[in-house]
Amino acid sequence: MSDSIGFLPRDAYKFEKSCPFRLSVKQEYFIIMEKQPKPVACSSVSQSKGNLVESSDRISILLDRIALHILSFLMMEDIARLSVVSKRWRALCISIPSLTFDGMKYEHNRRKHDCFMDFLDRFIFRRSEIKMPQFCVRWISDKWYLEGYRVLTWLHYAVRSNVEVLDLELNIRSAGILQMPLDVFRCESLRFLTVDLHGRVLQLPPSNGFTKLQSLTLKRVRVLDKLFVEHVLSFCESLNKLCLDNVTGISNINIRSSSLKYLEIRSYDYNDLFHIDVSVELLDELIVGWKFTPSGDRSLKIAAPHLKYLTWDGFGPDHYVLGNLECLRSFALSLEELSSSSYLVECFKSVKRIEDLVIHVQCLKALLKAGMLPILWECLHSLRINFSSSDGMDDDLVPAIALLLHGFSNLQDLHITCWNDPKCEAYFREKARPLPEKASGFNTTYWVSKRLTSIRRLKRVKMELMKGLLYGKNSSELLKYIFKHARRLEQIDVVCPSSWKSYILAKITECGVASTVRVCVVCK
């Protein structure tokens, strides 16, 4: 078979026979239409006997840039097949600007794993110096000592091709440390970098690098340098986005930057992080997700005077300082475990001009206990109340929700959700938090007596009656009250088990919800 049929035809057909992949229906249609002979009059639409007749070959008339965009959504296995259809498709497949090498699917098939890697080596070689702005590698290896240099060769090629977005997910089972290649570290074109090592150690070269990097995301990475974050920030002068997701090996995270605008710190699975200190003048959005064993002295300090969006979930540390939050517009506080409720008082006193609020029921109970409710929020128009999978709307929580709603004068969106976080389910199973026994003490009459003007102004409501919210009648009585008194409603979404669907629909009919309201009942 000659090379004119397609790029690397022998290798492509060999790969196809050894790995029996299937194209989607649409992709098969494209290939079939390409193989058919072209009609004499090849036009997208022609006039015949008063009827519009479409051409039998519509893909051949696509511009190259459109065809390349379509090809960027295909997997490499599909690209291998498509490349042998014609000379044009061979050239297009070689020229795809954004590539994804995904070898995770061959974890349990060594033969296909080796065959796929051989194909990728030859594919990279044939691309020569074609520019590649985006490159993603997802690879799993039991023999990194044999395969590592080949993966690193792909990265070297990406650097030579002026890569701008680099996404690495490497599950290296046989190696303890991954040395970041020096040419990747010093790549001038690199702007966005994501590294996921499944818990393995990442080590950077001793020299400076990442000088042009704008976004850095580290997931499931372990470091040996206690000052790793500080060192990275010292030479990443253009960095405006930093995500640290389960970065272990450091006990203190100190963030100092003159360019950073987005910061995300998540630590769920390990307990070696004790102190987080963020002091960034231009920071616009901050996300802190922190779960730990309640032991040791932990602290959180934030100094970000221009902060607009703050998300803080997990467990409350022993000490915290939030600083000036006058610019804050969106606040999500979903702390499920609180060491003390007293520090929430100062926290909520400084966020009275927010427009969106997300709050966990445990924080809500703490505010009620501290005598903070109701809090007057004139600018707030969106409220979300989060329940954990083991929480329910018990009799102690209903007064807190009623007082919270009293503080809103312009509320338009209300979302009550059962927040199911699988990362902390094991923690709650160990504590064996019981479901509420008293969860039926407040009927619709109670809610009517509160005269909640905020409910009357609601436009959109979403309520998830799942897990703990199914126990007792308090949640269904609140929903019934909303159905009957929220006369400005435009949309109602109710998520419930299939056994509740008939009940929900009956209550909607009984309460006389306006016919102009969009009602959606989703069963799970």
Side-chain angles (χ1 to χ4, degrees), residues 56-67:
S56 61
D57 185 1
R58 301 179 64 183
I59 195 170
S60 296
I61 63 175
L62 289 176
L63 298 176
D64 285 354
R65 59 181 180 85
I66 298 177

Side-chain angles (χ1 to χ4, degrees), residues 30-83:
F30 286 166
I31 294 178
I32 291 171
M33 296 308 297
E34 182 66 23
K35 288 182 177 179
Q36 291 179 350
K38 294 183 179 181
V40 177
C42 184
S43 60
S44 58
V45 178
S46 61
Q47 188 76 20
S48 175
K49 296 181 180 181
N51 298 321
L52 291 177
V53 180
E54 294 188 1
S55 168
S56 61
D57 185 1
R58 301 179 64 183
I59 195 170
S60 296
I61 63 175
L62 289 176
L63 298 176
D64 285 354
R65 59 181 180 85
I66 298 177
L68 287 173
H69 179 73
I70 295 174
L71 292 180
S72 65
F73 294 99
L74 301 184
M75 303 300 293
M76 290 302 301
E77 297 87 350
D78 297 336
I79 292 173
R81 287 168 179 75
L82 193 58
S83 63

Side-chain angles (χ1 to χ4, degrees), residues 364-365 368 373-374 393-406 441-442 446-447 450 452 474:
L364 197 53
K365 289 182 178 180
L368 179 65
L373 298 176
M393 192 176 293
D394 55 43
D395 291 349
D396 295 331
L397 180 60
V398 171
I401 295 178
L403 287 174
L404 179 69
L405 294 174
H406 259 301
F442 296 89
Y446 169 81
W447 292 104
K450 294 302 176 181
L452 300 175
N474 286 339

Side-chain angles (χ1 to χ4, degrees), residues 164-166 190-195 210 212-218 232 236 238-243 260 262:
E164 299 177 7
V165 181
L166 182 59
L190 190 60
R191 297 294 183 268
F192 305 89
L193 174 63
T194 299
V195 180
F210 293 153
K212 304 296 184 180
L213 200 64
Q214 298 177 6
S215 173
L216 175 62
T217 300
L218 301 178
V232 169
C236 291
S238 303
L239 196 67
N240 55 48
K241 180 179 180 179
L242 175 62
C243 300
L260 207 60
Y262 178 96

Side-chain angles (χ1 to χ4, degrees), residues 278-286 300-310 320-331 346-354:
V278 178
S279 181
V280 182
E281 179 73 20
L282 299 179
L283 194 64
D284 186 69
E285 182 171 358
L286 173 62
L300 172 66
K301 183 179 180 181
I302 300 173
H306 295 93
L307 193 64
K308 295 180 181 178
Y309 309 95
L310 174 59
Y320 91 104
V321 177
L322 293 185
N324 181 10
L325 297 177
E326 292 184 358
C327 295
L328 198 66
R329 292 296 175 265
S330 178
F331 187 28
E346 294 299 324
C347 173
F348 277 90
K349 283 183 178 179
S350 58
V351 294
K352 290 189 175 182
R353 295 192 61 81
I354 59 176

